[in-house]
Amino acid sequence: MGFQTPATEIMESIIRSHNFVMFVMSVVAVIVFAVMTYALIKFRKRSGDKIVFNTKNSHNAVLEILWTLIPLVIVGFLTISNVKLIRHEQKIPNVEMTLKAIGYQWYWGYVYPDYKNFAFDSYMKATDSLESQDLRLLEVDNRIVVPINTNILLQVTSADVIHSWAVPALGVKIDAVPGRLNEAWFNIKTPGIYYGQCSELCGRLHGFMPIVIVAVEKEQFNEWIQEKTLEL
């Protein structure tokens, strides 16, 4: 039920939009079913009633206009509000660092272009390699580490077939297409560990391409990336 706890402003906006749409849908459903229930009870055929066709009131022009215009207004309002959300997702702000994700059959590769192109591959941990705190089918041998409160440009591509890089808590789901570089962005508000998976059927091991992001304070990230780049 519901969504994961949001870690970015984008995901918070998605949840607000979802809740509002569900509220509107619920109100419409209640009204429609109330009218249907009233009509079924009020105009039901009783024992001994004769069926009489009313040819004088075969339609009501005002009513038909209303039940056409009102749904159009509701749908139009929902469309405008969600287009604003989509534009917010797609408008990439001034970024402070870049993370590149490359999909393979069946694992992810990552590159930090701003830090000497530091790169590594990230495979799902086998069951016999899991530690007590690890989540089965979601843990990886090499986690992504990023700083919080930082606008991060995410570049996604693929080396073979179409994959999809998706982390629900960040509000990010973007296809990895061979020969194409797709872009998204995120800014994680709070430190933590965030899990995702490949969300595009890409072959027999599609379900074994987890994503793990560790969001840390900027000072911790700087220490981690310096240590990694010294090894290059």
Side-chain angles (χ1 to χ4, degrees):
M1 294 293 294
F3 293 94
Q4 294 181 7
T5 302
T8 64
E9 182 184 343
I10 290 175
M11 190 57 196
E12 290 174 351
S13 299
I14 291 173
I15 291 176
R16 284 195 298 269
S17 176
H18 168 269
N19 292 341
F20 178 68
V21 171
M22 289 298 294
F23 171 76
V24 173
M25 288 173 57
S26 299
V27 171
V28 171
V30 168
I31 293 174
V32 169
F33 279 97
V35 172
M36 288 175 60
T37 302
Y38 170 79
L40 289 171
I41 296 173
K42 177 69 175 177
F43 303 107
R44 70 187 186 278
K45 181 178 180 296
R46 295 173 176 83
S47 178
D49 286 352
K50 294 182 179 180
I51 298 176
V52 178
F53 293 100
N54 190 336
T55 57
K56 294 182 179 179
N57 297 309
S58 60
H59 70 279
N60 186 310
V62 175
L63 185 61
E64 291 178 5
I65 291 172
L66 286 177
W67 70 35
T68 301
L69 289 181
I70 291 175
L72 283 175
V73 171
I74 294 173
V75 171
F77 181 75
L78 294 178
T79 300
I80 292 171
S81 63
N82 282 282
V83 165
K84 290 181 179 178
L85 172 58
I86 293 171
R87 290 184 64 184
H88 176 59
E89 292 177 359
Q90 294 181 341
K91 186 178 180 181
I92 299 175
N94 293 329
V95 296
E96 300 168 67
M97 67 169 286
T98 301
L99 173 67
K100 185 175 182 180
I102 307 167
Y104 299 92
Q105 290 179 306
W106 289 270
Y107 63 96
W108 292 99
Y110 297 99
V111 182
Y112 290 73
D114 304 318
Y115 301 93
K116 300 181 181 179
N117 280 322
F118 166 62
F120 59 86
D121 294 330
S122 182
Y123 290 84
M124 185 189 75
K125 271 190 177 182
T127 302
D128 55 7
S129 301
L130 295 175
E131 300 177 10
S132 58
Q133 72 278 11
D134 292 341
L135 299 177
R136 180 176 175 270
L137 300 181
L138 286 177
E139 193 53 69
V140 296
D141 55 357
N142 291 309
R143 294 173 166 182
I144 309 163
V145 179
V146 297
I148 63 171
N149 298 320
T150 303
N151 289 336
I152 299 173
L153 174 65
L154 175 67
Q155 296 182 328
V156 181
T157 188
S158 171
D160 35 55
V161 299
I162 297 177
H163 303 277
S164 184
W165 197 93
V167 181
L170 307 188
V172 176
K173 181 182 182 296
I174 182 169
D175 285 346
V177 182
R180 180 169 181 170
L181 195 66
N182 289 333
E183 293 184 336
W185 71 281
F186 59 87
N187 185 322
I188 300 176
K189 291 185 171 183
T190 54
I193 301 174
Y194 304 98
Y195 295 90
Q197 289 180 302
C198 175
S199 297
E200 186 71 42
L201 186 59
C202 58
R204 66 184 183 88
L205 298 183
H206 155 70
F208 303 95
M209 290 180 63
I211 301 162
V212 183
I213 295 180
V214 181
V216 298
E217 298 287 347
K218 291 185 179 182
E219 295 77 12
Q220 291 177 270
F221 172 77
N222 290 333
E223 292 175 4
W224 177 81
I225 198 67
Q226 285 177 10
E227 179 184 342
K228 295 298 182 180
T229 52
L230 285 175
E231 300 172 1
L232 298 177

